[in-house]
Amino acid sequence: MHPRIEDYALIGDEQTAALVSADGSVDWLCLPRFDSAACFARLLGDEENGHWRIAPRGAGRCARRAYRRDTLVLDTEWETDGGAVRVTDLMPQRDRAPDLVRIVEGLSGEVTVRSTLRLRFDYGSVVPWVRRSDGHRVAVAGPDSAWLRSEPEVPTWGEDYGTHSEFTVKAGEKVAFVLTWHPSHEPRPPLVDPYEALEHSVADWRAWAARCRYDGPYRDAVVRSLITLKALTYKPTGGIVAAATTSLPEEPGGVRNWDYRHCWLRDSTLTLAALLAAGYTDEAEAWRDWLLRAVAGSPADLQIMYGLAGERRLPESELPWLSGFAGSRPVRIGNDAVNQLQLDVFGEVMDTLALARAAGMPGVPQMWELQRALLEFLRTAWRRPDEGLWEVRGGRRPFVHSKVMAWVAADRAVRTLEAEPELGGDLAGWRALRDEIHREVCEKGYDPERNTFTQYYGSRELDAALLFIPRVGFLPPDDPRVTGTIDAVSRELTRDGLVQRYSTAQSEVDGLPGGEGTFLVCSFWLADALHMTGRTKEARELFERLLGLANDVGLLAEEYDPVAGRQLGNFPQAFSHIGLVHTALALTGDDEAG
């Protein structure tokens, strides 16, 4: 049986990440970056597309697994008739090359352990040539090379285009495996000591987690989410990927399968707010600086997403040799949504930079110049229809959320200039722009008959993004139009109490067949909106239910199917964990930075 999305745990080194299933198999790993081609792609295919399983011979799912407290070091344990064994998985912070370390430790009795390694470069399509060299197994194909060694050496052989090892451990005995990748034209990088790597990784992660200033009732979930966000950060640049995976389906067997290994601007405001509120100013500053580099240039060329280092070209293509997760095809890499017009990103960028300034981050000379240029472009561009924050592929529309975020852009510029008039700018013109957008949204985006804002002008449909109206200050939380919208979303967009983005059953807005699960971040938004409007008991109940949807190691995907009781979409999803952090801080009154 193919593992479920929630069967996976994440390990990583802040430049890439691996997914480890509950049966001890590493089924996804892209090297050397998050967006590189995978060398283990069983997640989106089968065993022949690459994986590395270490487990007791003949065993299935583990008995238990958990991260070591406040770290990204994973312990997986099995109990057999002969005894118990633990596998510890980690990716230490790299000096030059990425390493995957797997340490097998006997806990009791005597257990025979089997390791099966099938390296398949280029998303499972290339079988490498494997040879022996100086105690290593060396796999080479084109630009990729990987070295496998064990300490101590154990019996290892090649069979069925795989590398197999089998050995026995007693209580207290350990065998460590290290898989190291490097470009095939370069010499092998220096060897890492797996036990020192484990010790340093535990210490480093715990030192980082100790900086979290939140100490409320949801600390464990908040710290796990912050560690996940840190793990999804590309350390060399400060960019944060939306998820570690591509093409995990929003509907099993469906076509809503997208590549999320890129950096979305719309995540910026919430990411920055979450990091600042939790006390992580260095990471917030790195993200701010990535943002400034990525969006530099003409405002007309502003994209909704960029590559890890700010790359602009992210062409979408399909991998036909992969059968897809649970038969969900096509498997896609790249993302054509990069070419869409999504006006909300202007508001999100302006809000992010205003938040950074208000939090006292050291100024960057080009920051205000960029903000002024964005506002000048938005003076006329805000009227254009767009694809909206959900990246619809059914044509452009005048989405209400996009217009509200255009208002945010003007509002944040006005507030900044009012506080710091020496910066210079068209204060009167920006105030007029802000007022004009506000007036039009209230006239064209509001349905007085149903007392709710709508998804786009002239529509009767709803959108979970409307929950942002009080959050960004467009209207106060006690405005009847706000409370009416919250009630409408709760009534019409929930399934078993969880929130959908919008109704795919009644809408042609996204231009795609099939349906999708409920969006976890939208459910966090509803909890925030309920709390803002004084319905804190309901907000807390919803929030605690959402906490219960995380898997056994505290991770959330993009969506959840309340009927099947399964996670859906790419995993782990930064947006879901950002939502968790924000709501936890809001409910406990510790969200000053956000």
Side-chain angles (χ1 to χ4, degrees), residues 259-522:
D259 191 348
Y260 278 12
R261 299 170 300 155
H262 310 300
C263 305
W264 267 256
L265 294 190
R266 71 170 43 84
D267 296 12
S268 62
T269 299
L270 295 178
T271 302
L272 196 72
L275 291 171
L276 286 172
Y280 290 99
T281 54
D282 290 346
E283 287 76 9
E285 187 172 339
W287 172 241
R288 189 274 314 270
D289 292 346
W290 174 89
L291 179 68
L292 288 173
R293 293 192 302 271
V295 305
S298 169
D301 297 329
L302 186 72
Q303 297 183 178
I304 65 163
M305 71 177 89
Y306 295 85
L308 303 177
E311 298 92 345
R312 291 174 178 253
R313 296 186 186 275
L314 307 173
E316 186 175 303
S317 60
E318 299 179 2
L319 307 181
W321 61 87
L322 291 174
S323 58
F325 185 94
S328 306
R329 304 178 71 177
V331 171
R332 296 182 174 95
I333 58 172
N335 201 313
D336 276 348
V338 71
N339 300 312
Q340 290 186 350
L341 173 65
Q342 297 177 18
L343 291 171
D344 63 296
V345 299
F346 289 87
E348 284 139 6
V349 169
M350 292 294 291
D351 197 23
T352 297
L353 298 181
L355 177 61
R357 189 182 299 275
M361 278 192 194
V364 177
Q366 71 270 27
M367 190 164 76
W368 182 244
E369 182 181 349
L370 170 66
Q371 290 174 273
R372 290 180 62 169
L374 292 177
L375 257 293
E376 289 309 306
F377 176 77
L378 208 56
R379 279 186 192 268
T380 56
W382 76 270
R383 296 185 177 279
R384 297 163 60 185
D386 70 335
E387 280 91 357
L389 89 160
W390 301 128
E391 301 172 4
V392 300
R393 301 196 177 196
R396 294 181 177 179
R397 288 172 170 78
F399 287 106
V400 170
H401 175 262
S402 296
K403 308 303 184 188
V404 167
M405 294 308 295
W407 175 90
V408 168
D411 177 72
R412 301 314 188 253
V414 167
R415 292 189 189 188
T416 299
L417 196 53
E418 287 175 341
E420 302 179 59
E422 67 276 9
L423 291 172
D426 183 9
L427 183 58
W430 294 344
R431 282 175 176 158
L433 175 63
R434 180 179 64 175
D435 293 345
E436 182 182 12
I437 298 172
H438 196 281
R439 183 167 52 251
E440 180 179 291
V441 169
C442 291
E443 289 176 357
K444 297 183 179 181
Y446 174 70
D447 182 348
E449 179 183 332
R450 297 161 61 214
N451 187 30
T452 181
F453 285 92
T454 60
Q455 186 178 39
Y456 54 91
Y457 291 174
S459 169
R460 289 185 59 84
E461 296 168 17
L462 298 177
D463 193 313
L466 299 170
L467 297 170
F468 262 73
I469 287 175
R471 183 168 174 161
V472 298
F474 184 83
L475 287 173
D478 59 355
D479 189 292
R481 292 167 292 184
V482 169
T483 56
T485 299
I486 295 170
D487 288 341
V489 169
S490 299
R491 183 175 59 249
E492 300 182 30
L493 285 188
T494 56
R495 289 169 52 197
D496 194 25
L498 303 176
V499 183
Q500 299 174 276
R501 298 185 299 173
Y502 48 84
S503 174
T504 56
Q506 301 175 9
S507 171
E508 297 180 355
V509 114
D510 62 12
L512 295 167
E516 60 191 19
T518 59
F519 262 62
L520 291 172
V521 73
C522 296

Side-chain angles (χ1 to χ4, degrees), residues 43 91 512:
L43 180 73
M91 293 189 71
L512 295 167

Side-chain angles (χ1 to χ4, degrees), residues 28-261:
W28 182 253
L29 175 60
C30 300
L31 293 172
R33 306 193 335 172
F34 291 104
D35 57 353
S36 298
C39 63
F40 299 138
R42 179 184 178 227
L43 180 73
L44 301 177
D46 57 32
E47 291 185 350
E48 293 306 314
N49 296 124
H51 74 116
W52 184 13
R53 184 169 189 238
I54 299 180
R57 185 176 61 190
R61 187 183 178 92
C62 66
R64 68 188 66 86
R65 63 177 179 168
Y67 288 113
R68 297 196 182 182
R69 180 183 56 82
D70 290 354
T71 77
L72 202 65
V73 174
L74 179 70
D75 286 326
T76 305
E77 297 180 5
W78 287 263
E79 295 177 354
T80 73
D81 292 341
V85 67
R86 172 192 298 136
V87 175
T88 298
D89 290 317
L90 65 143
M91 293 189 71
Q93 290 284 338
R94 69 178 80 169
D95 291 325
R96 283 174 46 198
D99 298 288
L100 173 55
V101 176
R102 314 196 73 186
I103 300 173
V104 182
E105 179 181 2
L107 301 178
S108 65
E110 184 174 309
V111 181
T112 299
V113 176
R114 186 79 179 260
S115 168
T116 300
L117 171 67
R118 287 189 174 90
L119 278 165
R120 300 291 187 267
F121 296 120
D122 195 20
Y123 296 103
S125 67
V126 177
V127 180
W129 173 57
V130 180
R131 60 183 172 87
R132 295 176 183 266
S133 176
D134 195 23
H136 291 72
R137 294 283 175 147
V138 186
V140 177
D144 299 293
S145 180
W147 295 63
L148 174 71
R149 78 179 197 276
S150 66
E151 296 183 9
E153 287 191 44
V154 295
T156 300
W157 68 96
E159 181 182 334
D160 297 331
Y161 300 103
T163 301
H164 305 266
S165 303
E166 189 168 291
F167 53 95
T168 299
V169 289
K170 299 177 182 179
E173 293 181 341
K174 297 180 182 180
V175 175
F177 291 87
V178 181
L179 181 69
T180 302
W181 178 95
H182 68 93
S184 60
H185 65 277
E186 295 182 358
R188 185 194 69 191
L191 303 181
V192 300
D193 182 306
Y195 301 105
E196 286 185 4
L198 172 60
E199 181 181 349
H200 291 158
S201 291
V202 169
D204 290 347
W205 278 111
R206 286 180 176 166
W208 188 85
R211 290 167 47 201
C212 178
R213 77 180 192 190
Y214 174 78
D215 194 28
Y218 307 114
R219 183 191 180 280
D220 288 349
V222 168
V223 170
R224 178 53 50 203
S225 290
L226 289 168
I227 287 174
T228 303
L229 292 174
K230 179 73 167 172
L232 295 175
T233 300
Y234 186 62
K235 188 175 182 178
T237 65
I240 299 177
V241 296
T245 58
T246 178
S247 298
L248 289 182
E250 298 176 19
E251 180 183 44
V255 301
R256 298 169 184 262
N257 316 316
W258 314 109
D259 191 348
Y260 278 12
R261 299 170 300 155

